[in-house]
Amino acid sequence: MDSSRAFVKNVKRIIVKVGTAVVTRTDGRLAIGRLGALFEQLQELNSQGYEVILVTSGAVGVGRQRLRYRKLLNSSFSDLQKPQVELNGKACAAVGQSGLMALYDSLFSQLDVASSQLLVTDNDFKDPEFRNQLCSTVNTLLSLKVIPVFNENDAVSTRKAPYEDSSGIFWDNDSLAALLALESKADLLVLLSDVEGLYNGPPSDSKSELIDTYIKEKHDETITFGDKSRVGRGGMQAKVKAASCAATQIPVVITSGFTRDSILKVLQGKKVGTLFPTESMLKEIVVSTKDISSRDMAVSARDCSRRLQSISSEERKKILLDVADALEANEAKIRAENEADVAVAQEAGYEKALISRLTLKPGKISSLAKSIRVLANMDDPIGQILKRTEVADELVLEKKSSPLGVLLIVFESRPDALVQIASLAIRSGNGLLLKGGKEAMRSNAILHKVITGAIPASVGEGLIGLVTSRDEIADLLKLDDVIDLVIPRGSNKLVSQIKASTKIPVLGHADGICHVYIDKSADMSMAKKIVLDAKIDYPAACNAMETLLVHKSLLKSAGIKDIIFELESKGVVIFGGRTASKELSIPKAESFHHEYSSMACTIEFVDDVNAAIDHIHRYGSAHTDCIVTSDDEVADIFLKQVDSAAVFHNASTRFSDGARFGLGAEVGISTGRIHARGPVGVEGLLTTRWILKGNGQVVNSDEGIVYTHKILPL
């Protein structure tokens, strides 16, 4: 028995709803064989002591078939030449109900089971006395082992168009079944369909996958429904709506009415169809499967990464090109989901800096696709021979580049980071687990779907897993045996929490406190361009300038006044250090170690380049720092002594970016000193391994072997 279906042990009263698509064949005639198999299951349940209630559709379809036949018999040849008027649905229902129940009674009688017919309308349920009497009658029938058979009485329904009008207490037989399940306090509702259950896309699409457990928060926004039922008025969308309603109190399973023993398998606890659990069940399911699902996701990413490594370089290149094409082809869908995320964030009152990072601006998808194509056309980084050594005669040692394995990336706000990271993982042959911020939930979901949809089955979509629950992160951080590197991209708090919570190596930076230092010999026109770009081009970026340091000799200069004026005129709020706040009459900064990530910055005056370097080392974050100067000697001092991941001379800090460095994309920026530093591209996601090729050599205490350790050409 599957752990998620353990609830069936306590089921006694079950409601089974069978739709028109199951009751009838494609030609509209009754599916006698299918109904016979269904009734055999109901008989077995009845004999085992279950209380069974059947809700059926199909009366209108059966009646229409019969009336068309009668009309054909009573029509002249000239009548048949005239346009045929659609038969009245209520008349079809009246004729079909008696015929359908006659068949049901006959089938049940053959199995020695008693049945009863109950026809209801939505108006009946408006009367509390009717509800009480209905429950009393049903309880009496069930106590006598009689199977009540319910159907909506379309023949006398007051709705004008019973197949279209969705008003009323219930609107079709799916919702009638849900209502009866709640009224009769059933333990389980089974909705039989013409497909195996609920899929995340049209069942006819080979890429659609069956959802075994429906979780509204996870699946509601990602399901694409196909066409409605070929007959009847509902389809899967109606079943999901009815199931969601009933699942507020009782579990529901949508499964196939075409498969033999499907109901019996549900009650045996087998994982068939789609389960709609109650809220209390959902908590138990999450608790019981959380550890397994986290590990399974990581193991799947590792397995898929090994398959990715085994294919040719050209095949890996094609995957990236397909991803780029898929992003551009689905740009409208991606933008729509992103706009929904942005609207929710704005309504929730998130900071402008976060909303800026969250927004996929016009042209961003094309820019990302272009970066992926650049990455695809780079030399294959996997299996590159970095060093060849002759260890001894006919014994050659090679040092080769190799993927790290499985990466866990935790990032906040920026959905474009998902695309960059995923493309780098594919290029470097790594498996990937992604956890984005809840504010980008829709954007991340559609981007993940588009990207994994471009990965061939020979590799597997499990190569890139999307973690949807914050709780799963804690479990994943424990998996140091299957996850090889964690890269957090976000706030200082996020990075610090992750470093304190795992034994897995962590690569990343906590802050982006970037400096621009204007030396006394600087070209002030150049300095103005660099400062404005570093602050205003993208204030929310981690490579934006947060502190402007200025040589003290420029305090009264027109050039500095002009730069400050331009910053303020662009909307930048300027805070000052001790000297600057006093001399410029501006608010004092609370701290030099502060990342604004918005249209604000700090300015301070320093004695010289050495003082600037000391300030950067004391208050900076070792991310990216820049000097603007015409003095090459001063520039050389700055470039050699500033101990940051990226140090620039006469260039904006905004250049500190994987794509701008020609890395194709970046997985993040590392301010650490181990393994990778600065913008981390493909090379930062690789390690090395040793390949030794011999001819039967053995160590044997080093007797009889002469070590040459000769460096060989690559």
Side-chain angles (χ1 to χ4, degrees):
M1 179 179 291
D2 187 87
S3 60
S4 66
R5 307 296 175 96
F7 70 91
V8 298
K9 292 183 291 186
N10 300 316
V11 170
K12 180 173 177 60
R13 181 171 293 185
I14 175 175
I15 291 185
V16 176
K17 188 270 172 179
V18 56
T20 308
V22 177
V23 172
T24 61
R25 305 185 310 189
T26 54
D27 61 1
R29 296 181 181 276
L30 287 166
I32 304 297
R34 196 181 302 140
L35 287 171
L38 168 64
F39 279 50
E40 286 178 356
Q41 292 184 76
L42 300 181
Q43 181 271 334
E44 186 169 340
L45 294 178
N46 188 261
S47 66
Q48 290 177 8
Y50 288 98
E51 296 178 347
V52 181
I53 299 172
L54 179 64
V55 179
T56 180
S57 300
V60 174
V62 171
R64 181 177 289 112
Q65 185 74 17
R66 289 189 171 190
L67 288 179
R68 280 176 177 169
Y69 177 70
R70 301 311 306 175
K71 185 178 180 182
L72 180 64
L73 288 179
N74 295 306
S75 297
S76 65
F77 181 76
S78 61
D79 289 336
L80 295 175
Q81 305 305 307
K82 300 174 183 177
Q84 300 298 301
V85 179
E86 183 63 36
L87 294 168
N88 179 273
K90 296 185 183 300
C92 292
V95 172
Q97 281 163 359
S98 60
L100 191 64
M101 279 310 301
L103 173 64
Y104 282 12
D105 186 62
S106 176
L107 289 171
F108 275 131
S109 296
Q110 292 293 320
L111 298 168
D112 195 24
V113 174
S115 64
S116 62
Q117 181 183 23
L118 295 98
L119 294 173
V120 295
T121 67
D122 59 339
N123 282 329
D124 295 332
F125 284 87
K126 294 176 181 178
D127 183 356
E129 290 186 12
F130 170 84
R131 291 185 180 224
N132 292 333
Q133 184 58 55
L134 180 68
C135 289
S136 176
T137 301
V138 168
N139 289 335
T140 301
L141 291 170
L142 293 174
S143 69
L144 298 171
K145 299 185 75 68
V146 176
I147 296 181
V149 180
F150 279 87
N151 192 357
E152 181 182 5
N153 194 355
D154 286 329
V156 297
S157 172
T158 57
R159 281 184 299 206
K160 295 179 180 178
Y163 338 108
E164 300 171 6
D165 188 356
S166 62
S167 63
I169 293 175
F170 62 84
W171 55 93
D172 59 13
N173 281 308
D174 289 313
S175 56
L176 170 60
L179 176 60
L180 288 172
L182 296 172
E183 287 286 324
S184 65
K185 295 180 172 56
D187 302 309
L188 174 65
L189 169 61
V190 176
L191 301 175
L192 296 180
S193 175
D194 54 355
V195 292
E196 294 300 319
L198 177 62
Y199 288 78
N200 59 4
S204 57
D205 188 340
S206 60
K207 293 183 179 180
S208 297
E209 296 179 351
L210 181 67
I211 298 170
D212 55 69
T213 302
Y214 177 84
I215 301 172
K216 182 176 174 62
E217 293 75 13
K218 180 178 180 181
H219 298 115
D220 195 37
E221 298 293 332
T222 59
I223 294 172
T224 302
F225 290 100
D227 296 331
K228 290 176 65 176
S229 171
R230 59 177 170 82
V231 286
R233 72 186 84 149
M236 188 55 72
Q237 200 162 0
K239 287 179 174 56
V240 170
K241 188 175 181 180
S244 298
C245 178
T248 57
Q249 296 182 38
I250 64 169
V252 183
V253 174
I254 298 177
T255 189
S256 174
F258 285 45
T259 306
R260 293 188 69 88
D261 300 336
S262 57
I263 303 173
L264 297 177
K265 288 177 180 177
V266 168
L267 290 167
Q268 290 164 3
K270 294 184 179 179
K271 205 169 187 177
V272 296
T274 300
L275 169 65
F276 287 69
T278 62
E279 188 173 345
S280 59
M281 285 173 54
L282 184 59
K283 291 178 181 177
E284 293 176 8
I285 291 169
V286 170
V287 168
S288 64
T289 62
K290 189 168 57 176
D291 292 335
I292 298 172
S293 62
S294 297
R295 175 169 288 277
D296 284 351
M297 190 183 294
V299 170
S300 176
R302 184 178 291 282
D303 291 343
C304 292
S305 73
R306 287 171 177 160
R307 291 198 289 272
L308 178 65
Q309 295 165 39
S310 68
I311 64 178
S312 69
S313 175
E314 283 301 311
E315 288 174 303
R316 285 193 293 272
K317 176 181 177 180
K318 185 179 184 303
I319 293 174
L320 282 172
L321 295 176
D322 288 345
V323 167
D325 291 344
L327 287 171
E328 290 181 332
N330 290 277
E331 181 172 1
K333 291 181 181 179
I334 296 168
R335 290 288 301 278
E337 294 299 293
N338 181 247
E339 287 169 4
D341 279 334
V342 171
V344 171
Q346 289 173 333
E347 188 175 337
Y350 283 111
E351 294 180 358
K352 289 184 178 180
L354 184 145
I355 294 173
S356 178
R357 291 193 295 269
L358 175 62
T359 306
L360 291 173
K361 296 179 175 64
K364 188 64 177 179
I365 297 300
S366 296
S367 175
L368 288 169
K370 182 179 179 181
S371 295
I372 293 172
R373 293 187 180 104
V374 170
L375 192 63
N377 290 309
M378 291 171 62
D379 291 338
D380 191 346
I382 303 173
Q384 292 290 324
I385 300 174
L386 307 175
K387 184 179 181 181
R388 295 182 74 239
T389 304
E390 181 190 79
V391 177
D393 186 38
E394 295 188 349
L395 188 63
V396 176
L397 180 66
E398 294 179 345
K399 184 180 183 181
K400 284 189 172 184
S401 60
S402 173
L404 285 169
V406 176
L407 315 173
L408 170 60
I409 316 295
V410 184
F411 58 101
E412 296 176 338
S413 308
R414 292 182 55 185
D416 60 311
L418 185 150
V419 179
Q420 295 183 47
I421 295 163
S423 59
L424 282 168
I426 294 170
R427 197 67 179 110
S428 59
N430 287 291
L432 181 63
L433 302 176
L434 293 160
K435 173 63 177 80
K438 64 179 181 180
E439 63 279 353
M441 180 180 67
R442 294 176 179 81
S443 305
N444 291 338
I446 186 65
L447 287 168
H448 176 260
K449 183 177 181 180
V450 168
I451 291 170
T452 54
I455 298 174
S458 57
V459 173
E461 293 184 358
L463 178 71
I464 302 172
L466 183 64
V467 181
T468 56
S469 167
R470 179 182 289 272
D471 293 337
E472 288 179 284
I473 290 295
D475 297 314
L476 289 165
L477 291 174
K478 298 173 186 175
L479 303 179
D480 55 306
D481 58 327
V482 284
I483 296 177
D484 301 286
L485 184 67
V486 181
I487 304 179
R489 294 184 60 165
S491 66
N492 192 323
K493 182 181 178 182
L494 172 71
V495 177
S496 299
Q497 284 178 341
I498 288 177
K499 285 183 176 180
S501 305
T502 186
K503 293 189 287 185
I504 305 170
V506 178
L507 178 75
H509 71 277
D511 294 303
I513 303 172
C514 302
H515 297 76
V516 173
Y517 167 58
I518 303 177
D519 188 51
K520 64 181 180 181
S521 66
D523 178 329
M524 296 308 289
S525 176
M526 178 192 294
K528 178 180 173 181
K529 283 170 49 182
I530 289 172
V531 168
L532 290 175
D533 181 79
K535 182 68 260 181
I536 295 171
D537 182 63
Y538 189 7
C542 63
N543 58 13
M545 181 193 78
E546 303 293 9
T547 300
L548 173 61
L549 299 176
V550 182
H551 193 283
K552 64 180 182 181
S553 65
L554 300 175
L555 175 60
K556 304 294 185 180
S557 68
I560 289 300
K561 291 179 181 178
D562 185 37
I563 290 174
I564 293 172
F565 174 79
E566 284 295 326
L567 285 171
E568 290 180 330
S569 67
K570 299 292 185 183
V572 178
V573 178
I574 301 176
F575 299 91
R578 185 174 61 182
T579 303
S581 62
K582 180 181 177 181
E583 296 292 337
L584 302 176
S585 299
I586 56 177
K588 189 174 182 180
E590 291 184 7
S591 171
F592 282 123
H593 190 83
H594 181 70
E595 183 176 13
Y596 293 99
S597 297
S598 63
M599 290 287 276
C601 70
T602 300
I603 183 171
E604 182 58 312
F605 294 94
V606 294
D607 290 344
D608 54 21
V609 67
N610 293 307
I613 293 169
D614 290 342
H615 181 104
I616 291 169
H617 287 166
R618 184 175 181 182
Y619 300 110
S621 61
H623 190 296
T624 302
D625 299 291
C626 157
I627 183 172
V628 184
T629 182
S630 299
D631 189 326
D632 290 341
E633 290 185 11
V634 172
D636 194 49
I637 293 171
F638 189 90
L639 296 175
K640 286 181 178 178
Q641 293 187 22
V642 171
D643 190 18
S644 295
V647 189
F648 298 167
H649 176 207
N650 290 347
S652 170
T653 56
R654 291 281 291 121
F655 280 106
S656 188
D657 174 85
R660 296 187 179 97
F661 277 14
L663 306 180
E666 69 177 37
V667 74
I669 293 181
S670 171
T671 55
R673 288 164 173 77
I674 298 175
H675 177 65
R677 200 172 183 199
V680 180
V682 170
E683 293 84 356
L685 303 181
L686 298 172
T687 184
T688 57
R689 61 194 193 111
W690 299 95
I691 307 296
L692 184 65
K693 299 177 181 178
N695 191 26
Q697 292 88 340
V698 296
V699 173
N700 192 28
S701 301
D702 289 332
E703 291 184 12
I705 187 167
V706 177
Y707 291 101
T708 57
H709 294 147
K710 178 182 177 182
I711 302 299
L712 301 175
L714 300 179

